[in-house]
Amino acid sequence: MDRRVFLKGVLGGGALGVMPFAAMANPFVRGGGQRPVMVVAQAELPEALAIARGLGAEMGVQPVSASVRELGSFAGVAALLDRAGQGRVIGVMDDASALIFRQIAAARGAGLALDSHRRIGTASLVSFAITT
């Protein structure tokens, strides 16, 4: 394979991987209404916190850091979803926490809008967006 073609694909894929979350940064929905956005990051993962801070800055919101204990319990996730209200939740966390969070959100009627897996150094992160 030609190195130039490979590098173009890698660079283009990286840019396209970030585009959906940038599109989620627009909190306006059809009809002129505004939906609140909450960004949740796993507190024990500095990579997740860094991504969440960047997304939060783009959207003008302060990211919420949640411990792995909160993200792994029904009560903790339910409290975060209650705090989000009727809006969007963007999460950045490890695989297990993301699975639990999304399953509890789905059981409460939330829909998964976007899902992305990333590896940063040794950390394997899942970024997702749900609409509550």
Side-chain angles (χ1 to χ4, degrees):
M1 174 185 271
D2 187 5
R3 279 189 295 184
R4 289 174 292 182
V5 172
F6 174 75
L7 289 174
K8 269 201 235 178
V10 169
L11 294 174
L16 291 176
V18 175
M19 272 180 55
F21 287 100
M24 289 294 294
N26 184 2
F28 296 99
V29 294
R30 283 180 239 167
Q34 189 175 12
R35 295 186 100 169
V37 176
M38 184 169 86
V39 179
V40 179
Q42 186 171 344
E44 294 83 8
L45 296 174
E47 299 89 354
L49 289 169
I51 291 171
R53 282 189 202 108
L55 287 169
E58 242 181 81
M59 291 181 262
V61 298
Q62 185 71 17
V64 175
S65 63
S67 70
V68 72
R69 185 176 298 259
E70 284 178 279
L71 297 172
S73 72
F74 182 84
V77 173
L80 288 168
L81 291 169
D82 288 342
R83 185 174 168 185
Q86 292 296 316
R88 295 183 183 141
V89 177
I90 297 175
V92 184
M93 53 198 70
D94 67 9
D95 298 335
S97 297
L99 178 65
I100 293 168
F101 195 99
R102 291 183 307 200
Q103 290 298 316
I104 293 171
R108 293 174 48 125
L112 181 64
L114 190 59
D115 187 13
S116 170
H117 296 268
R118 302 172 194 276
R119 184 165 265 324
I120 302 173
T122 59
S124 178
L125 300 175
V126 175
S127 304
F128 61 88
I130 59 173
T131 305
T132 59

